[in-house]
Amino acid sequence: MSRESAKSNKNGSMLIVVLMIMAVGLILITSAMMITGSTRQRYFDSSKSNQARLTVTSVAEAFYQAVYLQEITDEQLEALANGNAVLDFSVNGTSVPGASGAVDNMTTASFSKTGTDLVTIVFSTEIDGKQENIRMVLRGDPPDEDNSLFQTTVQLGDGGALGQMNVGQNPLPGARDNIALLLGDSHMGNTGSSVYSCEVVCTGILTTGSGNAFHNNVILYGPDAGFDVNGSDGAGLAITGGSLFFLSEDGDGTGDAFYNGGSVISGDFTEGNPIDADSIATYNFNFNAIGSISNQSLNGFYSDPNSFILQRGSYSNPATITTEASSRIVTSASSTMQQQISARIDEYLSGIVATAVTNGFPSSATVAASFGDPYSHSTASLLALTNTSSVSPDPGGYIISGNSLGNPSASGGTTPDVTIDLAAGNYTFYVDHDFTIANGYFNVINATGSDNWVRFILAPNVHFTIGTNTNDCGIISSGRAPGAAPTSGTKPHVYIFGAQGNTVTLGPRTTIDAYIGVYGDTSNPGIVEFCNSTNFYGRISATSMMYRDGAQAIIPYCPGPTYDETNGNISIRYSNYIVEEYEYFY
């Protein structure tokens, strides 16, 4: 082989080696770029998934926190579930991952309901095709107490009246629950002198008497409500420092304001039966007669477009009634008062009055199911009460043995007491026969500020008497001394419940701190009787309440069971829904 040929072969071999090295290099570079790209894509995908999970978790937890603190109320939650709603959690104009509102960058929540107590919420977040989901199941967990039974100072069933009563004195500043709620017709005529410092709400026909003095608003609520002008002992309706409202909720129908002996009036008032009020307001009501309106300080008539005002007869003030087509209010008063009346109408139609009226008067079955058996009655211990011995039982459930605490037929002697310390726990006393507290006290101590309670559960038709006119006695649970006035800002820690046909008699020489609820219908009612200046502090929910003898019965304002004795009237409400299930799924 020539020298030139060998040299040429060597150069060719070098070229091949160089080309092979370059090919391998290209392969390695390409592979590295592919690996890098793939890794970067996996990183991006992982980041999107991680961000989606972070966003959906944050939304789910923030949503439940809002429910728990009732920023989103249980009622709103149930409405979303009942309507199978879908919410879009988008923040417009921002770059929040998973919340821009775009199709591929959004977070939603889908609601549904199973049975009566389960709400399912599916939270989903999608970011550029990567989706994370959470399924949250909430279970309704009803509270131990149904405090709606004592939403107002007094609640009475159909036919209940407030004769010879002084109701609602000395309310706490800002209290909006100082209300006597009359669920049905109420005849106060021929019942003696009565003073109502609270607001009076009646859902039936209200008939007054000559001794009735109203010092706050009177609200005739619902399409069946009205005022019987000619059946009211010639008294009319005298309101000093308050207004008269005729209100019916949207969709409930239009009521008729005035009746004569139970029949709707089609003519004038009878002279001498005036309306005496600061102002008159109507909403969804037929103001079907005007005869004599005597109060010279009457500022105006107020009505929404769904009400109908018909002028008949004469009235002293105002001189004219004007219509404002752009407003639901018809007024002849100042715009300031118009706004005040309009705001109060809104409050009545959506606040505690509307809620209490909607809840209605509970049935015996509802009360028995709610309060009848927090401890097992069958395993409750006997608590022997005598005329002379004092006892200090441990927390738990007890069946009261014996007919009385103290001797109901003797005066003086040993004063037996039942001492209860709420720091130790809750107490339930079952009373399955007629029972009298004749001498001595159930003395409930609450030095630690506990929200524990004492319940007296009355069997059907049991008569529970506190006080027999011979000895000082009672039930004390608000920290006051026997016979002393209640301290503002305190509340009782004793409940007396009877589901059907019970009578609770509050006798003379008694000091009683209790929420009393006795129920039934007109054929077998729950009755609370007041006798001769009972020193009572609490709230009453009963079919009927009556005065028997002696001086006027006094029922001062008392906060409801949810009142916070430490921080004041700022009851914090938490959700009744708890998390049953919480899971991520794909």
Side-chain angles (χ1 to χ4, degrees), residues 57-72:
T57 301
S58 299
V59 169
E61 292 180 353
F63 183 87
Y64 180 69
Q65 186 73 3
V67 170
Y68 178 71
L69 295 176
Q70 289 298 270
E71 295 167 353
I72 299 172

Side-chain angles (χ1 to χ4, degrees), residues 368-454:
S370 299
F371 298 101
D373 202 13
Y375 294 95
S376 174
H377 193 161
S378 61
T379 60
S381 304
L382 288 176
L383 180 66
L385 300 179
T386 69
N387 294 344
T388 58
S389 300
S390 296
V391 295
S392 299
D394 294 327
Y398 296 90
I399 301 172
I400 289 182
S401 174
N403 296 319
S404 66
L405 177 67
N407 190 338
S409 60
S411 177
T414 303
T415 301
D417 287 325
V418 179
T419 301
I420 297 166
D421 188 352
L422 292 181
N426 298 317
Y427 296 75
T428 299
F429 298 107
Y430 296 98
V431 185
D432 55 13
H433 55 278
D434 291 352
F435 183 77
T436 299
I437 299 176
N439 190 9
Y441 292 88
F442 276 80
N443 188 23
V444 180
I445 300 170
N446 190 27
T448 63
S450 167
D451 252 345
N452 290 333
W453 40 255
V454 176

